[in-house]
Amino acid sequence: MTKRKIYWIVLALVMAVSMLPKTVIDAQATQSMAARYNRTYKLTGNKAADIVTAALAQKEKKKADLGYSEAWCADFIGDSAYLVGASDVIPANGKVATLYANVLAANGTEVFVPQMGDLVFYYCTSTQTWVHVGIMVDSVQSIEGNYSGKVSLVKGVYRDSHGHSLANGTVVRKFIRPAYYRSKASAPKVISNNTTINPGTNTNTSTKTDTDKKTDTKKDTAKKTDKDTKKDTGKKTDKSTKTDTSKKTNKSTKKPSTKKTTKETSKSTVKLSKKYAGTYKVNTKDDPLTMRLEPDKTSDVVIQVPKGTKVKVTKGTKDWAYTTYKGLNGYLSMEFLKKVSK
């Protein structure tokens, strides 16, 4: 075969390939549309519960309602976290794979029994890509953006247009618990849309919303009130001023109590001893054992430790064992631990 013939064959192949349908590369930017979110909800300070509340408030909202211009399931997670002050433990990203890596890097942990506030990530084994993400409402249901084109409440179902699904095993789920207990971020006072930056890095150059205008009005009113109060106070007699002050003092003195709160009392009275140190095995019947932040059944959950896992206990009591698992410290119930030789 001559060089000329080879040249024309190669050229024909190149032209044929160029005419094939092009695959769209996922090059999503992180979009924040938090200013368009419904914010008629109250935050409690429990960020695992608050992120669910904020997300549920957007139920049935569509892409056009929120203003996204890309596949937005990961953006929905980022904006929900931003609104409740959890963007430091759920660092936003428009790509599901990067969001997954970000949450783990921010001390998030994989769990096997999901609970409120955990993130559910969907992985397609056929394409070997992370394809979707949502927020667990409880151990069964999740609230997800861009599910059937809107914010939807989902009960363990996923299927894409190519027939990949949880039902046929081509899609699997992983549950990640963000480190809410480590979060130091706070809910934003000024909220603006930005399609290019991480919503966690809010700038001061954003345009003020109607809420901000009202806040400024309140400040102005407060200044005026202060001036008026000073004028009116000047007219009052010394007796009335002293009487009012004494009343306030009495009330304020009664409020502070030397009694400790239930949690503080429980912490201070729990004396840990090294005599309980050793290697233990999680001896639950079926479920994993919950590690808690404090030796208290009502304390925040740190992580779930699977049945049969061996853990090293450094100190404890007859009821609680202090240990480390996957780099996280916390307390496990002695009731479900069995001491082993090694």
Side-chain angles (χ1 to χ4, degrees):
M1 189 180 287
T2 64
K3 289 183 179 179
R4 192 176 188 81
K5 283 184 179 179
I6 294 171
Y7 169 78
W8 287 110
I9 289 170
V10 172
L11 183 62
L13 285 171
V14 171
M15 290 179 68
V17 170
S18 66
M19 293 175 71
L20 290 172
K22 292 181 181 177
T23 302
V24 178
I25 298 172
D26 182 9
Q28 291 171 286
T30 302
Q31 294 189 343
S32 173
M33 293 296 157
R36 299 184 71 161
Y37 274 47
N38 174 11
R39 300 200 298 281
T40 56
Y41 52 80
K42 290 184 180 179
L43 300 181
T44 64
N46 179 343
K47 294 184 181 181
D50 286 345
I51 193 171
V52 171
T53 302
L56 284 172
Q58 319 313 318
K59 190 181 171 187
E60 300 301 322
K61 282 187 177 288
K62 297 179 181 178
K63 184 177 183 177
D65 299 326
L66 297 172
Y68 295 112
S69 60
E70 63 184 17
W72 49 283
C73 64
D75 289 322
F76 177 71
I77 304 297
D79 279 343
S80 297
Y82 169 60
L83 287 171
V84 302
S87 55
D88 53 348
V89 292
I90 306 178
N93 196 280
K95 294 183 72 173
V96 179
T98 313
L99 178 64
Y100 176 82
N102 283 356
V103 177
L104 285 177
N107 297 299
T109 52
E110 183 181 351
V111 294
F112 303 96
V113 180
Q115 65 183 29
M116 178 185 285
D118 291 348
L119 302 185
V120 52
F121 288 86
Y122 297 80
Y123 183 81
C124 180
T125 56
S126 296
T127 58
Q128 296 186 343
T129 52
W130 293 99
V131 291
H132 191 57
V133 61
I135 304 168
M136 296 303 294
V137 176
D138 50 37
S139 61
V140 178
Q141 298 182 104
S142 54
I143 184 75
E144 301 175 6
N146 200 21
Y147 187 96
S148 297
K150 61 184 179 180
V151 179
S152 305
L153 196 59
V154 184
K155 292 185 180 179
V157 179
Y158 179 86
R159 183 183 178 85
D160 66 16
S161 57
H162 303 289
H164 303 137
S165 69
L166 284 170
N168 64 24
T170 51
V171 175
V172 295
R173 293 184 298 176
K174 277 199 175 183
F175 302 103
I176 303 297
R177 182 160 301 154
Y180 294 114
Y181 64 97
R182 290 192 176 192
S183 176
K184 293 181 180 178
S186 54
K189 293 180 182 178
V190 177
I191 301 171
S192 63
N193 289 335
N194 193 309
T195 58
T196 55
I197 64 167
N198 184 322
T201 55
N202 199 22
T203 60
N204 293 324
T205 55
S206 54
T207 312
K208 290 184 177 181
T209 60
D210 292 336
T211 312
D212 301 320
K213 289 176 184 176
K214 288 177 185 176
T215 308
D216 291 340
T217 313
K218 284 181 182 176
K219 286 180 181 177
D220 294 337
T221 312
K223 286 178 184 176
K224 288 178 183 178
T225 311
D226 289 341
K227 287 180 182 178
D228 295 338
T229 310
K230 284 177 183 178
K231 287 178 184 178
D232 294 337
T233 309
K235 293 177 184 178
K236 288 183 180 178
T237 61
D238 292 338
K239 285 183 180 178
S240 60
T241 312
K242 285 178 183 176
T243 309
D244 291 339
T245 313
S246 63
K247 284 180 184 176
K248 286 178 184 176
T249 312
N250 290 335
K251 285 182 182 177
S252 59
T253 357
K254 286 178 185 177
K255 282 181 184 177
S257 173
T258 51
K259 292 182 181 179
K260 294 182 179 180
T261 62
T262 311
K263 278 193 175 181
E264 287 174 335
T265 308
S266 66
K267 288 180 195 176
S268 60
T269 53
V270 173
K271 292 183 180 179
L272 302 174
S273 171
K274 288 185 179 179
K275 74 177 184 179
Y276 294 95
T279 303
Y280 291 75
K281 187 165 114 178
V282 175
N283 196 33
T284 52
K285 190 174 180 181
D286 296 304
D287 298 331
L289 182 58
T290 301
M291 179 188 282
R292 297 191 179 275
L293 193 59
E294 299 294 341
D296 189 321
K297 288 182 181 179
T298 61
S299 179
D300 291 339
V301 175
V302 177
I303 194 173
Q304 302 285 348
V305 184
K307 175 189 174 183
T309 303
K310 287 183 181 180
V311 293
K312 285 190 176 180
V313 174
T314 53
K315 51 189 175 180
T317 68
K318 63 176 184 177
D319 298 316
W320 293 97
Y322 182 75
T323 184
T324 302
Y325 178 67
K326 286 193 174 182
L328 299 172
N329 300 322
Y331 294 83
L332 296 174
S333 173
M334 277 289 193
E335 184 183 351
F336 301 103
L337 291 178
K338 184 179 180 181
K339 197 166 186 177
V340 292
S341 55
K342 290 183 181 179

